[in-house]
Coordinates of all heavy atoms in Angstrom, one line a residue:
M1 N 128.2 102.8 109.6 CA 126.8 102.9 109.1 C 126.5 101.6 108.4 O 127.2 101.1 107.5 CB 126.6 104.1 108.2 CG 125.3 104.1 107.4 SD 125.1 105.6 106.5 CE 126.4 105.6 105.3
K2 N 125.4 100.9 108.8 CA 125.0 99.6 108.3 C 124.0 99.9 107.1 O 123.0 100.6 107.3 CB 124.3 98.8 109.3 CG 123.9 97.4 108.8 CD 123.3 96.6 109.8 CE 122.8 95.3 109.2 NZ 122.0 94.5 110.1
I3 N 124.3 99.3 106.0 CA 123.4 99.5 104.8 C 122.6 98.2 104.7 O 123.1 97.1 104.8 CB 124.3 99.6 103.5 CG1 125.3 100.8 103.6 CG2 123.4 99.7 102.3 CD1 124.6 102.2 103.7
N4 N 121.3 98.4 104.5 CA 120.3 97.3 104.4 C 119.7 97.4 103.0 O 119.4 98.5 102.5 CB 119.2 97.5 105.4 CG 119.8 97.5 106.8 OD1 120.2 96.5 107.3 ND2 119.7 98.6 107.5
T5 N 119.4 96.2 102.4 CA 118.8 96.1 101.1 C 117.7 95.1 101.2 O 117.8 94.0 101.9 CB 119.9 95.6 100.1 OG1 120.9 96.6 100.1 CG2 119.3 95.5 98.7
F6 N 116.6 95.4 100.5 CA 115.4 94.4 100.4 C 114.6 94.7 99.2 O 114.8 95.7 98.6 CB 114.6 94.5 101.7 CG 113.8 95.8 101.8 CD1 112.5 95.9 101.4 CD2 114.4 97.0 102.3 CE1 111.8 97.1 101.4 CE2 113.7 98.2 102.4 CZ 112.4 98.2 101.9
V7 N 113.8 93.7 98.8 CA 112.9 93.9 97.7 C 111.5 94.2 98.3 O 111.0 93.6 99.2 CB 112.7 92.6 96.9 CG1 111.7 92.7 95.8 CG2 114.1 92.2 96.3
G8 N 110.9 95.3 97.8 CA 109.6 95.8 98.3 C 108.8 96.5 97.3 O 109.3 96.8 96.2
I9 N 107.6 96.8 97.7 CA 106.7 97.6 96.9 C 106.3 98.8 97.7 O 105.9 98.7 98.9 CB 105.4 96.8 96.5 CG1 105.8 95.7 95.6 CG2 104.3 97.7 95.9 CD1 104.6 94.8 95.2
I10 N 106.2 100.0 97.0 CA 105.8 101.2 97.7 C 104.3 101.2 97.9 O 103.5 100.9 97.0 CB 106.1 102.5 96.8 CG1 107.7 102.6 96.7 CG2 105.5 103.7 97.4 CD1 108.1 103.6 95.7
T11 N 103.9 101.3 99.1 CA 102.4 101.3 99.4 C 101.9 102.7 99.6 O 100.7 103.0 99.5 CB 102.1 100.5 100.7 OG1 102.9 101.0 101.8 CG2 102.5 99.0 100.5
Y12 N 102.8 103.7 99.9 CA 102.4 105.1 100.1 C 103.6 106.0 100.0 O 104.7 105.6 100.4 CB 101.8 105.3 101.5 CG 101.4 106.7 101.8 CD1 100.2 107.2 101.4 CD2 102.3 107.5 102.6 CE1 99.9 108.5 101.7 CE2 102.0 108.8 102.8 CZ 100.7 109.3 102.4 OH 100.4 110.6 102.7
Y13 N 103.4 107.1 99.3 CA 104.5 108.1 99.3 C 103.9 109.5 99.3 O 102.7 109.7 98.8 CB 105.4 107.9 98.0 CG 104.7 108.2 96.7 CD1 104.8 109.5 96.1 CD2 104.0 107.3 96.1 CE1 104.2 109.8 94.9 CE2 103.4 107.5 94.8 CZ 103.5 108.8 94.3 OH 102.9 109.1 93.1
E14 N 104.6 110.4 99.9 CA 104.1 111.8 100.0 C 105.3 112.7 99.8 O 106.4 112.6 100.4 CB 103.5 112.0 101.4 CG 103.0 113.4 101.6 CD 102.5 113.6 103.0 OE1 102.0 112.6 103.6 OE2 102.5 114.7 103.5
R15 N 105.2 113.7 98.9 CA 106.2 114.7 98.7 C 106.3 115.6 99.9 O 105.3 116.1 100.5 CB 105.9 115.5 97.5 CG 106.9 116.6 97.1 CD 107.8 116.1 96.0 NE 108.8 117.1 95.7 CZ 109.0 117.7 94.6 NH1 108.2 117.3 93.5 NH2 109.9 118.6 94.4
I16 N 107.6 115.7 100.4 CA 107.8 116.6 101.6 C 108.7 117.8 101.1 O 109.0 117.9 99.9 CB 108.5 115.9 102.7 CG1 109.7 115.2 102.3 CG2 107.5 114.8 103.3 CD1 110.5 114.4 103.4
T17 N 109.1 118.6 102.0 CA 109.8 119.8 101.6 C 111.1 119.4 100.8 O 111.7 118.4 101.1 CB 110.2 120.7 102.8 OG1 111.0 119.9 103.7 CG2 109.0 121.2 103.5
N18 N 111.5 120.2 99.8 CA 112.7 120.0 99.1 C 113.9 120.1 99.9 O 113.9 120.7 101.0 CB 112.8 121.0 97.9 CG 111.8 120.8 96.8 OD1 111.1 119.8 96.8 ND2 111.6 121.7 95.9
S19 N 115.0 119.6 99.4 CA 116.3 119.8 100.1 C 116.7 121.3 100.0 O 116.1 122.1 99.3 CB 117.3 118.9 99.5 OG 117.7 119.4 98.2
R20 N 117.8 121.6 100.7 CA 118.3 123.0 100.6 C 118.7 123.4 99.2 O 118.6 124.5 98.8 CB 119.5 123.2 101.5 CG 119.1 123.2 103.0 CD 120.4 123.4 103.8 NE 120.1 123.1 105.2 CZ 121.0 123.2 106.1 NH1 122.2 123.6 105.9 NH2 120.6 123.0 107.4
M21 N 119.1 122.4 98.4 CA 119.5 122.6 97.0 C 118.3 122.6 96.1 O 118.5 122.8 94.9 CB 120.5 121.5 96.6 CG 121.7 121.5 97.5 SD 122.7 123.0 97.4 CE 123.5 122.8 95.9
G22 N 117.1 122.3 96.6 CA 115.9 122.4 95.8 C 115.5 121.0 95.1 O 114.6 120.9 94.3
N23 N 116.2 120.0 95.5 CA 115.9 118.6 95.0 C 114.7 118.0 95.7 O 114.5 118.2 96.9 CB 117.1 117.7 95.1 CG 118.2 118.2 94.2 OD1 118.0 118.6 93.1 ND2 119.4 118.3 94.8
P24 N 113.9 117.2 95.0 CA 112.7 116.6 95.7 C 113.1 115.6 96.8 O 114.1 114.9 96.7 CB 112.0 115.9 94.5 CG 113.1 115.6 93.5 CD 114.1 116.7 93.7
R25 N 112.2 115.5 97.8 CA 112.3 114.5 98.8 C 110.9 113.9 99.1 O 109.9 114.6 98.9 CB 112.8 115.1 100.1 CG 114.2 115.6 100.0 CD 114.7 116.2 101.3 NE 114.6 115.3 102.4 CZ 114.1 115.6 103.6 NH1 113.7 116.8 103.9 NH2 114.0 114.6 104.6
Y26 N 110.9 112.7 99.6 CA 109.6 112.0 99.8 C 109.6 111.3 101.2 O 110.7 110.8 101.6 CB 109.4 110.9 98.8 CG 109.1 111.5 97.4 CD1 110.1 111.7 96.5 CD2 107.8 111.8 97.0 CE1 109.8 112.3 95.2 CE2 107.5 112.3 95.8 CZ 108.5 112.6 94.9 OH 108.3 113.1 93.7
F27 N 108.5 111.2 101.8 CA 108.2 110.3 102.9 C 107.6 109.0 102.2 O 106.7 109.2 101.4 CB 107.2 110.9 103.9 CG 106.7 109.8 104.9 CD1 107.5 109.4 105.9 CD2 105.4 109.3 104.7 CE1 107.1 108.4 106.8 CE2 105.0 108.3 105.6 CZ 105.8 107.9 106.6
V28 N 108.1 107.9 102.5 CA 107.7 106.6 101.8 C 107.4 105.5 102.8 O 108.1 105.4 103.9 CB 108.9 106.2 100.9 CG1 108.5 105.0 100.1 CG2 109.4 107.3 100.1
I29 N 106.4 104.7 102.5 CA 106.1 103.5 103.2 C 106.2 102.4 102.2 O 105.6 102.4 101.2 CB 104.7 103.5 103.8 CG1 104.6 104.7 104.8 CG2 104.4 102.2 104.5 CD1 103.2 104.9 105.4
I30 N 107.1 101.4 102.6 CA 107.4 100.3 101.6 C 107.1 99.0 102.4 O 107.6 98.8 103.5 CB 108.8 100.4 101.2 CG1 109.1 101.7 100.5 CG2 109.2 99.2 100.2 CD1 110.5 102.0 100.2
Q31 N 106.5 98.0 101.7 CA 106.3 96.7 102.2 C 107.3 95.7 101.7 O 107.5 95.6 100.5 CB 104.9 96.2 101.9 CG 104.6 94.8 102.5 CD 103.2 94.4 102.3 OE1 102.5 94.9 101.5 NE2 102.8 93.4 103.1
N32 N 108.1 95.1 102.6 CA 109.1 94.1 102.3 C 108.4 92.9 101.7 O 107.5 92.3 102.4 CB 109.9 93.8 103.5 CG 111.1 92.9 103.3 OD1 111.0 92.0 102.5 ND2 112.1 93.2 104.0
Q33 N 108.8 92.4 100.6 CA 108.1 91.3 99.9 C 108.4 90.0 100.6 O 107.6 89.1 100.5 CB 108.6 91.2 98.4 CG 108.1 92.4 97.6 CD 106.6 92.3 97.4 OE1 106.0 91.5 96.7 NE2 105.9 93.2 98.1
E34 N 109.6 89.8 101.2 CA 109.9 88.6 101.9 C 109.3 88.4 103.2 O 108.8 87.3 103.6 CB 111.4 88.5 102.0 CG 112.2 88.3 100.7 CD 113.7 88.3 100.9 OE1 114.1 88.1 102.1 OE2 114.4 88.4 99.9
T35 N 109.3 89.5 104.0 CA 108.8 89.3 105.4 C 107.4 89.9 105.6 O 106.8 89.7 106.7 CB 109.8 90.0 106.4 OG1 109.8 91.4 106.1 CG2 111.2 89.5 106.3
G36 N 107.0 90.8 104.7 CA 105.7 91.5 104.9 C 105.8 92.7 105.8 O 104.8 93.4 106.1
E37 N 107.0 92.9 106.3 CA 107.2 94.1 107.2 C 107.0 95.4 106.5 O 107.4 95.5 105.3 CB 108.7 94.0 107.7 CG 109.1 95.2 108.6 CD 110.6 95.1 109.0 OE1 111.3 94.3 108.4 OE2 111.0 95.8 109.9
T38 N 106.5 96.4 107.2 CA 106.4 97.7 106.6 C 107.5 98.6 107.1 O 107.7 98.7 108.3 CB 105.0 98.3 107.0 OG1 104.0 97.5 106.5 CG2 104.8 99.7 106.4
I39 N 108.2 99.3 106.2 CA 109.3 100.2 106.6 C 108.9 101.6 106.1 O 108.6 101.8 105.0 CB 110.6 99.7 105.9 CG1 110.9 98.3 106.3 CG2 111.7 100.6 106.2 CD1 112.0 97.6 105.5
K40 N 109.1 102.5 107.1 CA 108.7 104.0 106.8 C 110.0 104.8 106.9 O 110.8 104.6 107.8 CB 107.8 104.5 107.9 CG 106.5 103.7 107.9 CD 105.6 104.2 109.1 CE 104.3 103.4 109.2 NZ 103.5 103.9 110.3
G41 N 110.1 105.7 106.0 CA 111.3 106.6 106.1 C 111.2 107.7 105.0 O 110.3 107.8 104.3
N42 N 112.3 108.5 104.9 CA 112.4 109.6 104.0 C 113.5 109.2 102.9 O 114.4 108.5 103.3 CB 112.8 110.9 104.6 CG 111.7 111.4 105.5 OD1 110.5 111.1 105.3 ND2 112.0 112.1 106.6
T43 N 113.4 109.8 101.8 CA 114.5 109.7 100.8 C 115.7 110.6 101.2 O 115.5 111.6 101.9 CB 114.0 110.0 99.4 OG1 113.5 111.4 99.4 CG2 112.9 109.1 98.9
Q44 N 116.8 110.1 100.7 CA 118.1 110.9 101.0 C 118.0 112.3 100.3 O 117.5 112.4 99.2 CB 119.3 110.1 100.4 CG 120.6 110.7 100.5 CD 121.1 110.7 102.0 OE1 120.9 109.7 102.7 NE2 121.8 111.7 102.3
S45 N 118.5 113.3 101.0 CA 118.6 114.6 100.4 C 119.6 114.7 99.3 O 120.6 114.0 99.4 CB 119.0 115.6 101.5 OG 118.0 115.7 102.5
D46 N 119.2 115.4 98.3 CA 120.1 115.7 97.1 C 120.7 114.4 96.5 O 121.8 114.3 96.1 CB 121.3 116.5 97.6 CG 120.8 117.9 98.1 OD1 119.9 118.4 97.5 OD2 121.4 118.4 99.1
A47 N 119.8 113.4 96.4 CA 120.2 112.1 95.8 C 119.2 111.8 94.6 O 118.1 112.3 94.5 CB 120.1 111.0 96.8
K48 N 119.7 110.9 93.7 CA 119.0 110.5 92.5 C 117.6 109.9 92.9 O 116.6 110.0 92.2 CB 119.8 109.5 91.8 CG 119.2 109.0 90.5 CD 120.2 108.1 89.8 CE 119.5 107.5 88.6 NZ 120.4 106.5 87.9
I49 N 117.5 109.2 94.0 CA 116.3 108.6 94.4 C 115.1 109.5 94.5 O 114.0 109.1 94.2 CB 116.4 107.8 95.8 CG1 115.2 106.9 96.1 CG2 116.7 108.8 96.9 CD1 115.4 106.0 97.3
G50 N 115.3 110.8 94.7 CA 114.2 111.7 94.7 C 113.5 111.9 93.4 O 112.4 112.3 93.3
Y51 N 114.3 111.6 92.3 CA 113.8 111.8 91.0 C 113.2 110.5 90.4 O 112.4 110.6 89.5 CB 114.9 112.3 90.1 CG 115.2 113.8 90.3 CD1 116.3 114.1 91.1 CD2 114.5 114.8 89.8 CE1 116.6 115.4 91.4 CE2 114.8 116.1 90.1 CZ 115.9 116.4 90.9 OH 116.2 117.7 91.1
I52 N 113.6 109.4 90.8 CA 113.2 108.1 90.2 C 112.3 107.3 91.1 O 111.8 106.3 90.7 CB 114.4 107.2 89.8 CG1 115.2 106.8 91.0 CG2 115.2 108.0 88.7 CD1 116.3 105.8 90.6
L53 N 112.0 107.7 92.3 CA 111.2 106.9 93.3 C 109.9 106.6 92.7 O 109.4 105.5 92.9 CB 111.1 107.7 94.6 CG 110.3 106.9 95.6 CD1 111.1 105.8 96.2 CD2 109.8 107.8 96.7
T54 N 109.2 107.5 92.1 CA 107.8 107.3 91.7 C 107.7 106.6 90.3 O 106.6 106.4 89.9 CB 107.1 108.7 91.7 OG1 107.7 109.6 90.8 CG2 107.0 109.3 93.1
D55 N 108.8 106.3 89.7 CA 108.7 105.5 88.4 C 108.3 104.1 88.7 O 108.8 103.5 89.6 CB 110.1 105.5 87.7 CG 110.5 106.9 87.3 OD1 109.6 107.8 87.2 OD2 111.7 107.0 86.9
Y56 N 107.4 103.6 88.0 CA 106.9 102.2 88.1 C 106.5 101.8 89.6 O 106.9 100.9 90.2 CB 108.1 101.2 87.7 CG 108.7 101.6 86.4 CD1 109.9 102.2 86.4 CD2 108.0 101.4 85.2 CE1 110.5 102.6 85.2 CE2 108.6 101.7 84.0 CZ 109.8 102.3 84.0 OH 110.4 102.7 82.8
I57 N 105.6 102.6 90.1 CA 105.1 102.5 91.4 C 104.6 101.2 91.8 O 104.9 100.7 92.9 CB 104.0 103.6 91.7 CG1 104.6 104.9 92.0 CG2 103.0 103.2 92.8 CD1 105.3 105.0 93.2
K58 N 103.9 100.5 91.0 CA 103.2 99.2 91.4 C 104.1 98.0 91.3 O 103.6 96.9 91.6 CB 101.9 99.0 90.6 CG 100.9 100.1 90.8 CD 100.3 100.0 92.2 CE 99.3 101.1 92.4 NZ 98.8 101.2 93.7
E59 N 105.3 98.1 90.8 CA 106.1 96.9 90.7 C 107.2 96.8 91.8 O 107.7 97.8 92.3 CB 106.8 96.8 89.3 CG 107.9 97.8 89.1 CD 108.4 97.7 87.7 OE1 107.7 97.7 86.7 OE2 109.7 97.7 87.5
P60 N 107.6 95.6 92.1 CA 108.7 95.4 93.2 C 110.0 96.0 92.7 O 110.3 95.9 91.5 CB 108.8 93.9 93.3 CG 107.6 93.3 92.7 CD 107.1 94.3 91.7
K61 N 110.7 96.6 93.6 CA 112.0 97.2 93.4 C 113.0 96.8 94.5 O 112.6 96.4 95.6 CB 111.9 98.7 93.3 CG 111.0 99.2 92.2 CD 111.1 100.7 92.2 CE 110.0 101.3 91.3 NZ 108.8 101.7 92.1
I62 N 114.3 97.0 94.3 CA 115.3 96.8 95.3 C 115.6 98.1 95.9 O 115.9 99.1 95.3 CB 116.6 96.2 94.6 CG1 116.3 94.9 93.9 CG2 117.6 96.0 95.7 CD1 117.4 94.4 93.0
F63 N 115.4 98.2 97.3 CA 115.6 99.4 98.0 C 116.8 99.2 98.9 O 117.0 98.2 99.5 CB 114.4 99.7 98.9 CG 113.1 100.1 98.1 CD1 112.2 99.1 97.7 CD2 112.9 101.4 97.7 CE1 111.1 99.4 97.0 CE2 111.8 101.7 97.0 CZ 110.9 100.7 96.6
T64 N 117.6 100.3 99.1 CA 118.7 100.3 99.9 C 118.5 101.5 100.9 O 118.1 102.6 100.5 CB 120.0 100.6 99.1 OG1 120.1 99.5 98.2 CG2 121.2 100.6 100.0
Y65 N 118.7 101.2 102.2 CA 118.5 102.3 103.2 C 119.5 102.1 104.4 O 120.2 101.1 104.5 CB 117.1 102.2 103.8 CG 116.8 101.1 104.7 CD1 116.9 101.2 106.0 CD2 116.3 99.9 104.1 CE1 116.6 100.1 106.9 CE2 116.0 98.8 105.0 CZ 116.2 98.9 106.3 OH 115.9 97.9 107.1
H66 N 119.6 103.2 105.2 CA 120.4 103.1 106.4 C 119.7 103.9 107.5 O 118.7 104.6 107.2 CB 121.8 103.8 106.1 CG 121.8 105.2 106.0 ND1 121.5 105.8 104.8 CD2 122.0 106.2 106.9 CE1 121.6 107.2 104.9 NE2 121.8 107.4 106.2
K67 N 120.1 103.7 108.7 CA 119.5 104.4 109.8 C 120.4 105.5 110.3 O 121.6 105.3 110.4 CB 119.2 103.4 111.0 CG 118.1 102.5 110.8 CD 117.8 101.7 112.0 CE 116.6 100.8 111.8 NZ 116.3 100.0 113.0
A68 N 119.8 106.7 110.5 CA 120.6 107.8 111.0 C 119.7 108.4 112.2 O 118.6 108.9 111.9 CB 120.8 108.8 109.9
H69 N 120.3 108.4 113.4 CA 119.6 109.0 114.5 C 118.1 108.4 114.7 O 117.2 109.2 114.8 CB 119.5 110.5 114.5 CG 120.9 111.1 114.3 ND1 121.8 111.1 115.3 CD2 121.5 111.7 113.2 CE1 122.9 111.7 114.8 NE2 122.7 112.0 113.6
N70 N 118.0 107.1 114.6 CA 116.7 106.4 114.7 C 115.7 106.7 113.6 O 114.5 106.5 113.7 CB 116.1 106.6 116.0 CG 116.9 106.0 117.1 OD1 117.4 104.9 116.9 ND2 116.9 106.6 118.3
N71 N 116.2 107.3 112.5 CA 115.4 107.6 111.3 C 115.8 106.7 110.1 O 117.0 106.5 110.0 CB 115.5 109.0 110.8 CG 114.9 110.0 111.9 OD1 113.8 109.7 112.5 ND2 115.6 111.1 112.1
I72 N 114.9 106.2 109.3 CA 115.3 105.5 108.2 C 115.4 106.4 107.0 O 114.5 107.2 106.7 CB 114.3 104.3 107.9 CG1 114.4 103.3 109.0 CG2 114.5 103.7 106.5 CD1 113.5 102.2 108.9
I73 N 116.6 106.3 106.3 CA 116.8 107.1 105.1 C 117.0 106.2 103.9 O 117.9 105.3 103.9 CB 118.1 107.9 105.3 CG1 118.1 108.8 106.6 CG2 118.3 108.8 104.0 CD1 117.0 109.8 106.6
F74 N 116.2 106.3 102.9 CA 116.3 105.5 101.7 C 117.3 106.1 100.8 O 117.2 107.3 100.4 CB 114.9 105.3 101.0 CG 114.0 104.5 101.8 CD1 113.0 105.1 102.5 CD2 114.1 103.1 101.8 CE1 112.1 104.3 103.2 CE2 113.2 102.3 102.5 CZ 112.2 102.9 103.2
D75 N 118.3 105.4 100.4 CA 119.4 105.9 99.6 C 119.3 105.6 98.1 O 119.7 106.4 97.3 CB 120.8 105.3 100.1 CG 121.0 105.5 101.5 OD1 121.1 106.7 101.9 OD2 121.2 104.6 102.3
K76 N 118.7 104.5 97.8 CA 118.8 104.0 96.4 C 117.6 103.1 96.1 O 117.1 102.4 97.0 CB 120.1 103.2 96.3 CG 120.5 102.8 94.9 CD 121.9 102.2 94.9 CE 122.2 101.4 93.7 NZ 123.5 100.8 93.8
V77 N 117.2 103.1 94.9 CA 116.1 102.2 94.4 C 116.5 101.8 93.0 O 117.0 102.5 92.2 CB 114.7 102.9 94.4 CG1 114.7 104.1 93.5 CG2 113.6 102.0 94.0
E78 N 116.3 100.5 92.8 CA 116.7 99.9 91.5 C 115.5 98.9 91.0 O 114.9 98.3 91.9 CB 117.9 99.0 91.6 CG 119.2 99.8 92.1 CD 120.3 98.8 92.3 OE1 121.0 98.5 91.4 OE2 120.4 98.3 93.5
R79 N 115.4 98.8 89.7 CA 114.4 97.9 89.2 C 115.0 96.5 89.3 O 116.2 96.3 89.2 CB 114.1 98.2 87.7 CG 113.3 99.5 87.6 CD 112.9 99.8 86.2 NE 111.9 98.9 85.7 CZ 111.5 98.8 84.5 NH1 112.1 99.6 83.6 NH2 110.6 97.9 84.1
L80 N 114.1 95.5 89.4 CA 114.6 94.1 89.4 C 115.0 93.6 88.1 O 114.6 94.1 87.1 CB 113.4 93.2 89.9 CG 113.1 93.3 91.4 CD1 111.9 92.4 91.7 CD2 114.3 92.8 92.2

């Protein structure tokens, strides 16, 4: 599994159904700050990212994601 990291800003997010364990999940659209590319995907199930994704919405953050069956899954978000 290839892990990708980039700096971006969330342009859109929507709460989707919780995981089986009841943890929050989101559909997210993020704009890459370096390339301007828009990346769409869901947050990882049962991961910390579901709780901290919406903190500091308007500022750039470091996002980590991977692809699984042609879907993008955001694993981690960190402040710069």
Side-chain angles (χ1 to χ4, degrees):
M1 168 173 63
K2 182 179 177 189
I3 303 295
N4 301 290
T5 301
F6 69 97
V7 175
I9 294 180
I10 297 171
T11 58
Y12 177 81
Y13 69 96
E14 179 181 332
R15 179 99 183 237
I16 56 177
T17 57
N18 290 349
S19 70
R20 290 182 190 179
M21 302 298 284
N23 295 314
R25 292 181 58 227
Y26 291 92
F27 168 75
V28 187
I29 300 174
I30 302 169
Q31 183 174 16
N32 186 321
Q33 291 293 288
E34 292 179 11
T35 64
E37 176 186 15
T38 300
I39 301 172
K40 300 175 185 180
N42 295 332
T43 57
Q44 179 73 34
S45 296
D46 301 322
K48 182 179 175 182
I49 190 171
Y51 288 98
I52 63 173
L53 180 75
T54 58
D55 295 345
Y56 313 104
I57 278 294
K58 298 292 183 186
E59 71 181 48
K61 298 183 194 98
I62 302 169
F63 292 92
T64 303
Y65 71 93
H66 71 276
K67 287 186 179 180
H69 306 288
N70 293 325
N71 295 318
I72 292 179
I73 308 294
F74 291 101
D75 302 302
K76 189 173 163 185
V77 60
E78 301 173 87
R79 290 182 71 188
L80 288 174

